[in-house]
Amino acid sequence: MARRYDPERRTRIIDAALRVIAADGIAGLSHRTVAAEADVPLGSTTYHFGSLDELLTAALRRSNENFAQALRDSEVCAGEETGAGLADELTRVLGEWFAGERGAIELEYELYLAALRRPALRPVAAEWTESAVEVLSARTDPATARALVALMDGVCLQVLLTGSAFDAAYTREMLTRVVDGCA
């Protein structure tokens, strides 16, 4: 039997891994569950990803692209004013992110926080931070950009962990304080 050429198989496996994690958490992830979800032979998952850490790394990298793309597509990159304008735009981006499906945000953070226990994921988690800092550094200095990313991470984690609603007014105020250099 001839081998079927399937250039999208790796992508389908990553997408399937994200669906498995969304449904069952990282604890539910295995080559077998991903192969079943992707409707590919088990050997395909191990061919493309020799370990679960490799598969998680690819899933985290894909997940990271979502928020970084939201920042790149927003007025954060286009605007020139700082202060309230930057804080307003970042608040808008976060508000839109939270207005979407909460499960997608939870998935992204579950993968992001998996780096605490899986050292192989740490460089990819750091890539997300560096990507966001790079985008924001077009509007402010790198140290302030890093502080803004840390604050946005903190706000997102608080909302996710407490189950509370995203508070745009509070977020805007805190982001403005960071941008303006207030304590």
Side-chain angles (χ1 to χ4, degrees):
M1 181 166 159
R3 191 178 239 190
R4 195 179 83 192
Y5 178 66
D6 186 358
E8 299 299 316
R9 184 168 289 191
R10 186 175 197 284
T11 300
R12 286 197 340 265
I13 292 169
I14 295 168
D15 292 342
L18 289 168
R19 289 190 302 274
V20 167
I21 295 166
D24 302 322
I26 290 175
L29 186 74
S30 70
H31 283 287
R32 190 170 306 286
T33 58
V34 171
E37 179 66 29
D39 193 27
V40 299
L42 179 59
S44 289
T45 63
T46 58
Y47 172 79
H48 289 286
F49 303 98
S51 70
L52 287 180
D53 278 350
E54 287 180 25
L55 182 55
L56 282 168
T57 297
L60 177 56
R61 189 165 276 126
R62 168 80 51 79
S63 185
N64 284 350
E65 294 169 4
N66 295 335
F67 190 75
Q69 190 62 48
L71 279 178
R72 284 190 293 274
D73 291 346
S74 74
E75 294 298 314
V76 168
C77 295
E80 294 185 19
E81 77 283 350
T82 58
L86 178 56
D88 286 343
E89 186 57 22
L90 290 174
T91 301
R92 187 191 65 71
V93 169
L94 288 175
E96 286 180 2
W97 203 44
F98 276 108
E101 183 187 337
R102 193 172 186 116
I105 300 168
E106 290 170 355
L107 170 64
E108 291 181 28
Y109 268 92
E110 183 171 2
L111 285 164
Y112 183 58
L113 293 173
L116 291 170
R117 299 263 185 214
R118 294 178 177 264
L121 297 178
R122 290 180 187 156
V124 182
E127 285 174 16
W128 179 87
T129 300
E130 294 309 316
S131 174
V133 167
E134 182 181 325
V135 169
L136 294 176
S137 291
R139 293 280 301 274
T140 189
D141 64 278
T144 301
R146 191 165 297 284
L148 289 168
V149 170
L151 177 59
M152 290 187 299
D153 256 348
V155 166
C156 291
L157 280 171
Q158 286 178 359
V159 170
L160 291 171
L161 294 174
T162 63
S164 59
F166 174 69
D167 185 340
Y170 169 79
T171 301
R172 183 178 299 106
E173 179 183 342
M174 294 302 108
L175 289 168
T176 300
R177 287 182 184 194
V178 170
V179 173
D180 290 344
C182 298

